[in-house]
């Protein structure tokens, strides 16, 4: 057995939510440069910067950013990103099993439709209150740290305050619709694919319920999720990063992208998206399973001690 053994008792909701939030933060810390590169590639073509910098590929983007803006630029928006994951992942991942059980009436057998419904539900719930953190994260990742180029934001709290003062509450929740669409797709694809792959591996005794099983399941989930969610992700990033008045709506943003840049614009940043989602899924799910099991071991020891 590689890693901690699964608990004999199903983990309670609090354990699942706490371990999901913590695991997502660990995954963000490790994969954040890839996410920043993805954002820069996605907004490229939206407007020409005064500095004339062009990005080519994920590693070329990272190299260009380090050369022109310094290594710290790769972690622009990290604080907002961790804030986002702490509240976002704890809901969309931590609540998934409970919502799935709610839809099935407590039975162990859940159809694919029920799993999709549960994933969409928790994804939409998470976005509904965590959206401001996503807006701030994307805008930090998009801004350049160059001499002579004015920075929109200097700190996370200043960004929240600036957006509220200049754009109102609507600014903090800008792009909620495409983000709900994107995260409903991402969440149900990510969790349902992971669920199904893991279930199939265990059912056919290909691997036991340990780290290799979690790795394979998470990698597969990351690839499928990237293919399905990439177009919505690009629109979400463009729309949330746009200044007031550039796009009338997320649908208008999609139309302008299609007419000006063609269908390929919707898959800009696909490689870094896959590298990021694939690696993020692997780190998050493996860490999630281990933290959840470690918390159950600690809980059991505490209860036995009392």
């Amino acid at each position: 057995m590689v890693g901690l053994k699964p608990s004999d008792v199903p983990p309670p909701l609090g354990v699942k939510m706490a371990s999901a939030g913590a695991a997502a933060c660990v995954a963000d810390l490790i994969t954040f440069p890839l996410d920043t590169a993805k954002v820069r590639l996605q907004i490229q073509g939206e407007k020409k910067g005064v500095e004339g910098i062009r990005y080519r590929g994920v590693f070329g983007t990272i190299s260009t950013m380090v050369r022109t803006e310094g290594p710290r630029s790769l972690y622009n928006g990290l604080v907002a990103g961790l804030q986002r994951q702490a509240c976002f992942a704890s809901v969309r991942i931590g609540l998934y099993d409970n919502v799935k059980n709610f839809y099935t009436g407590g039975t162990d057998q859940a159809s694919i439709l029920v799993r999709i419904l549960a994933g969409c539900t928790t994804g939409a719930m998470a976005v509904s209150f965590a959206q401001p953190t996503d807006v701030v994260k994307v805008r930090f990742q998009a801004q350049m740290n160059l001499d002579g180029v004015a920075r929109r934001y200097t700190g996370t709290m200043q960004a929240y305050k600036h957006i509220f003062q200049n754009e109102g509450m609507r600014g903090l929740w800008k792009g909620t619709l495409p983000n709900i669409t994107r995260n409903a797709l991402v969440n149900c694809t990510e969790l349902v694919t992971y669920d199904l792959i893991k279930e199939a591996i265990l059912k056919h005794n290909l691997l036991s319920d340990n780290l290799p099983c979690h790795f394979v399941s998470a990698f597969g989930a990351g690839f499928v999720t990237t293919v399905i969610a990439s177009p919505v992700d690009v629109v979400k990033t463009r729309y949330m990063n746009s200044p007031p008045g550039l796009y009338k709506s997320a649908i208008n943003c999609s139309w302008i992208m299609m007419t000006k840049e063609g269908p390929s614009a919707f898959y800009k940043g696909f490689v870094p998206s896959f590298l990021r989602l694939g690696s993020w899924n692997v780190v998050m799910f493996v860490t999630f399973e281990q933290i959840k099991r470690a918390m159950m071991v600690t809980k059991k020891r505490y209860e036995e001690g009392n």
Side-chain angles (χ1 to χ4, degrees), residues 40-60:
R40 292 291 180 93
L41 284 167
Q42 286 177 338
I43 64 171
Q44 185 165 255
E46 184 177 41
K47 57 183 179 179
K48 291 185 178 180
V50 293
E51 66 289 327
I53 292 175
R54 296 288 297 175
Y55 301 116
R56 297 184 182 277
V58 56
F59 297 112

Side-chain angles (χ1 to χ4, degrees), residues 101-136:
N101 291 336
F102 172 78
Y103 286 138
T104 59
T107 60
D108 292 333
Q109 297 299 321
S111 65
I112 294 179
L113 183 62
V114 167
R115 297 179 204 226
I116 291 173
L117 185 59
C120 289
T121 301
T122 58
M125 287 170 61
V127 171
S128 64
F129 72 90
Q131 180 68 5
T133 61
D134 207 11
V135 172
V136 171

Side-chain angles (χ1 to χ4, degrees), residues 6-210:
S7 173
D8 296 328
V9 180
L13 179 60
V15 169
K16 286 187 282 190
M17 292 184 71
S19 53
C25 286
V26 172
D28 248 29
L29 281 168
I30 294 173
T31 64
F32 207 79
L34 292 172
D35 193 39
T36 303
K38 178 202 73 172
V39 169
R40 292 291 180 93
L41 284 167
Q42 286 177 338
I43 64 171
Q44 185 165 255
E46 184 177 41
K47 57 183 179 179
K48 291 185 178 180
V50 293
E51 66 289 327
I53 292 175
R54 296 288 297 175
Y55 301 116
R56 297 184 182 277
V58 56
F59 297 112
T61 300
I62 291 174
S63 175
T64 300
M65 288 179 65
V66 170
R67 188 177 68 252
T68 59
E69 304 171 56
R72 292 182 62 181
S73 64
L74 297 174
Y75 283 90
N76 276 349
L78 177 62
V79 174
L82 295 179
Q83 291 171 350
R84 173 181 179 270
Q85 293 297 354
C87 57
F88 189 74
S90 60
V91 173
R92 77 177 185 90
I93 298 169
L95 282 177
Y96 173 72
D97 285 334
N98 291 69
V99 172
K100 183 173 68 175
N101 291 336
F102 172 78
Y103 286 138
T104 59
T107 60
D108 292 333
Q109 297 299 321
S111 65
I112 294 179
L113 183 62
V114 167
R115 297 179 204 226
I116 291 173
L117 185 59
C120 289
T121 301
T122 58
M125 287 170 61
V127 171
S128 64
F129 72 90
Q131 180 68 5
T133 61
D134 207 11
V135 172
V136 171
K137 178 184 82 78
V138 166
R139 292 196 183 186
F140 260 104
Q141 289 176 313
Q143 76 175 2
M144 296 185 174
N145 302 329
L146 294 170
D147 294 334
V149 177
R151 299 186 65 188
R152 297 169 78 181
Y153 313 110
T154 56
T156 304
M157 299 312 296
Q158 181 267 339
Y160 288 118
K161 183 179 178 181
H162 184 275
I163 294 170
F164 176 73
Q165 289 177 339
N166 290 273
E167 302 174 47
M169 291 294 288
R170 292 184 65 181
L172 289 171
W173 265 267
K174 187 174 187 179
T176 299
L177 181 59
N179 210 15
I180 284 178
T181 305
R182 183 238 181 212
N183 280 288
L185 283 171
V186 167
N187 206 46
C188 69
T189 307
E190 196 174 76
L191 295 177
V192 172
T193 306
Y194 179 81
D195 227 3
L196 292 173
I197 294 176
K198 181 181 173 183
E199 195 175 273
I201 289 173
L202 296 177
K203 182 180 179 180
H204 293 91
N205 295 316
L206 300 175
L207 295 168
S208 58
D209 191 0
N210 55 21

